[in-house]
Amino acid sequence: MRDARASSQGGCDVTPGAPYSRDFVIDLPSGIGDDAFVEDQPGAGTVRVNVRFGDTVLELTVTRTGTGPLDLSTAASRDWLTGIARAMAARWTGAKTGGGA
């Protein structure tokens, strides 16, 4: 997961300021799988939610409009991403989420 985080931070562009060099990682609260984080890809208009269970990494890609950085200035937006990760974890383990996941 350390390698996945490193690859997600800063993207793969060699040109500073290019769209993929603006990618960044958002850590999610502990207790979601063995580890969990979100990768924001402003240049691609995607957000990737990653959750690890042992040697298995689940990834869900959310597409969005716009190519600016993800706005996580509100608790609701942070909770939304955390909820996605928790639903992924519950689905993987067979636990009930209460949210219809």
Side-chain angles (χ1 to χ4, degrees), residues 50-71:
N50 295 271
V51 180
R52 180 178 66 85
F53 291 92
D55 292 337
T56 301
V57 177
L58 308 176
E59 180 179 270
L60 179 119
T61 303
V62 179
T63 58
R64 60 189 181 91
T65 59
T67 56
L70 187 63
D71 180 8

Side-chain angles (χ1 to χ4, degrees), residues 25-100:
V25 169
I26 303 155
D27 290 319
L28 292 174
S30 62
I32 303 173
D34 295 328
D35 192 10
F37 72 92
V38 172
E39 175 188 3
D40 183 26
Q41 298 178 301
T46 58
V47 176
R48 296 180 185 276
V49 181
N50 295 271
V51 180
R52 180 178 66 85
F53 291 92
D55 292 337
T56 301
V57 177
L58 308 176
E59 180 179 270
L60 179 119
T61 303
V62 179
T63 58
R64 60 189 181 91
T65 59
T67 56
L70 187 63
D71 180 8
L72 294 174
S73 59
T74 67
S77 59
R78 293 185 301 273
D79 290 347
W80 179 72
L81 287 171
T82 300
I84 290 172
R86 288 196 171 131
M88 290 168 62
R91 181 75 172 201
W92 183 256
T93 61
K96 297 203 184 258
T97 63

